[in-house]
């Protein structure tokens, strides 16, 4: 072998071997420090590309899973709200059923129902999670459930969650509960409990001679047509009409069935010698007086007995009073009527229609402005000539606006009744004839009821109090039974509640189903992430046991290489010995 001081082949060989060893050692150390055998593209370009794509998928699936966690919470919030609302609807059902008990205070029951309805509205408004509310709108929420990869193309997968508007408002799912009430419309639209009930006027003297120990007997006919008598025992001397009025209303027996009121000639001006006796329940008292041969008479409505005295100055020895003007008085609240509200006026007259019948029902129905007030609704389902029921339109725009007053409502219904009854009479129907209208506009609420002979009833609205009065003149056998409004039908209430229950249960079930699907999808994505992570590890993770053994081998090789290089570097020193 050539000895040269210019070229040290042994050192070169040793250096190259050492460089390879150090490079391998560095690679091993990188694998140990990173835990990866493919950390960069130069480690293995193909594997690195696959690993990078897998890491992207894993990160995306993790984000979708987090999104699903939020969506699951949103649905659980909605499901909880729907379940709570379903419980409240169940409570409302029991309240409605309890109101069918005649001993229950319906006003209190209605207050409980209103509180439950208010709570439903509150729940629907507040059941949101991170600003998303699924129970107060009908929007469709798109929930990202996955991002699928096929041939290098990413495709998003969604599931649609339909919101349910469980609020109590127009257009909402539970709008049928908005006007739910166990109170009749009469209870809501009339001011007084005896508004629209049968009334009769009794005229006494300015000075009354009712003595302690007298008994006052009030005769009336119940709704079965049976004659009844209510007796009030007098416990003190009564000498004026106000004291008589107060005493009667304070008597438990009398006040349970009837109410006594002073008569106002106009506005709030009281007459000096008249009171009205009215029924408190429209469905209990049909008329005052007694029946004779199927006809109602108004003689001896009030009879005094069991003592001495008289019912009025100038009536010495008179112990009974005949009924005078019969009337129906109605005071309306300053609350707008609703589309579909119906008021029924039941009357009977000595004037007969073409069928020979005497009793008729006139219905005043609030309808759209396609009809004018007073127009006959011949096509209405409630209209039947055979049953002597006549439906008359009340234009909604006149009675449903927010600023309508009780006086406005009274005047509109007066127009509807007088105009509509005249239209009925023109057809040869009703309780009048084509030549005589059934209802005419009276000018005075106390006495003027028949403007023209042969007409049955006068209709009057007091401009001061807004009271609507329908009257029949003294001595005429025309009968006024009741002025009533739409009654609350228990079955109708149950139907509304059944529908609300079904809607809420369907909503809760839909939220539960969607929540279950999202939870299942989240579980799948979590498992998929684990599987992909395992696969990624198989591709790029370093085998630490292998790398540890390799590190020791390379460290030995590095030491040997260093030693070999050191020996090779000593070779030129031996050449100096040749020159000594």
């Amino acid at each position: 072998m050539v000895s040269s001081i210019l070229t040290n082949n042994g050192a070169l060989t040793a250096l190259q071997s050492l460089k390879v060893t150090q490079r391998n050692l560095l690679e091993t150390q990188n694998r140990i420090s990173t835990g990866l055998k493919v950390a960069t593209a130069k480690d293995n370009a193909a594997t690195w590309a696959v690993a990078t794509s897998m890491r992207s998928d894993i990160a995306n699936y993790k984000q979708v899973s987090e999104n699903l966690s939020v969506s699951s919470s949103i649905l659980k919030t909605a499901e909880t709200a729907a379940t709570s609302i379903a419980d409240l609807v169940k409570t409302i059902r029991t309240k409605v059923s309890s109101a069918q008990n005649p001993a229950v205070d319906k006003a209190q029951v209605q207050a409980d129902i209103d509180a439950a309805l208010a709570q439903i509205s509150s729940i629907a408004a507040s059941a949101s999670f991170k600003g998303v509310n699924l129970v107060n709108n009908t929007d469709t929420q798109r929930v990202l459930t996955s991002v699928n990869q096929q041939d290098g193309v990413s495709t998003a997968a969604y599931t649609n969650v339909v919101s349910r508007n469980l609020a109590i408002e127009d257009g909402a799912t539970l709008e049928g509960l908005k006007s739910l009430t166990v109170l009749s419309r009469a209870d809501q639209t009339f001011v007084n409990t005896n508004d629209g009930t049968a009334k009769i006027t009794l005229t006494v003297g300015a000075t009354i001679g009712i003595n302690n120990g007298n008994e006052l007997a009030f005769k009336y006919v119940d709704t079965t047509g049976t004659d009844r008598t209510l007796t009030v025992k007098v416990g003190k001397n009564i000498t004026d009409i106000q004291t008589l009025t107060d005493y009667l209303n304070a008597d438990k027996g009398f006040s349970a069935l009837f109410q006594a009121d002073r008569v106002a000639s106009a506005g709030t001006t009281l007459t000096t010698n008249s009171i009205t006796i009215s029924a408190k329940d429209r469905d209990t008292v049909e008329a005052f007086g007694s029946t004779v041969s199927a006809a109602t008479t108004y003689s001896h409505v009030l009879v005094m007995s069991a003592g001495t005295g008289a019912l009025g100055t100038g009536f010495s020895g008179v112990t009974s009073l005949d009924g005078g003007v019969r009337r129906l008085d109605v005071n309306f609240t300053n609350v707008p009527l609703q589309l579909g509200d119906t008021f029924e006026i039941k009357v009977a007259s000595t004037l007969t229609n073409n069928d020979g019948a005497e009793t008729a029902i006139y219905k005043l129905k609030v309808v759209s402005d396609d009809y004018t007030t007073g127009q006959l609704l011949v096509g209405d389902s409630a209209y039947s000539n055979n049953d002597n029921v006549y439906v008359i339109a009340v234009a909604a725009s006149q009675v449903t606006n927010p600023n309508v007053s009780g006086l406005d409502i009274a005047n509109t219904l007066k127009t509807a009744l007088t105009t509509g009854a005249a239209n009925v009479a023109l057809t040869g129907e009703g309780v009048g004839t084509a030549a005589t209208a059934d209802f005419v506009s009276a000018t005075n609420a106390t006495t003027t009821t028949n403007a023209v002979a042969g007409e049955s009833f006068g209709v009057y609205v007091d401009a001061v109090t807004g009271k609507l009065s329908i009257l029949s003149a003294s001595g005429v056998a025309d009968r006024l039974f009741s002025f009533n409004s739409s009654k609350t039908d228990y079955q109708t209430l149950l139907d509304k509640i059944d529908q609300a229950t079904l809607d809420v249960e369907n909503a809760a079930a839909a939220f539960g189903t969607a929540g279950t699907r999202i939870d299942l999808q989240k579980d799948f994505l979590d498992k998929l992430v684990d599987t992909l992570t395992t696969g990624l590890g198989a591709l790029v993770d370093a085998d630490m046991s292998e790398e540890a053994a390799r590190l020791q081998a390379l460290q030995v090789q590095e030491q040997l290489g260093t030693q070999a290089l050191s020996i090779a570097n000593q070779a030129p020193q031996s050449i100096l010995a040749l020159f000594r």
Side-chain angles (χ1 to χ4, degrees), residues 242-254:
Q242 186 61 54
T243 303
L244 174 61
T245 303
D246 295 340
Y247 187 86
L248 291 175
N249 290 330
D251 182 83
K252 291 183 179 180
F254 181 88

Side-chain angles (χ1 to χ4, degrees), residues 484-511:
N484 209 346
S485 66
S486 307
K487 294 184 179 180
T488 300
D489 181 69
Y490 179 53
Q491 186 59 51
T492 300
L493 296 179
L494 287 182
D495 291 343
K496 288 183 178 181
I497 295 173
D498 286 343
Q499 185 61 51
T501 300
L502 179 63
D503 291 337
V504 175
E505 289 176 349
N506 287 342
F511 293 142

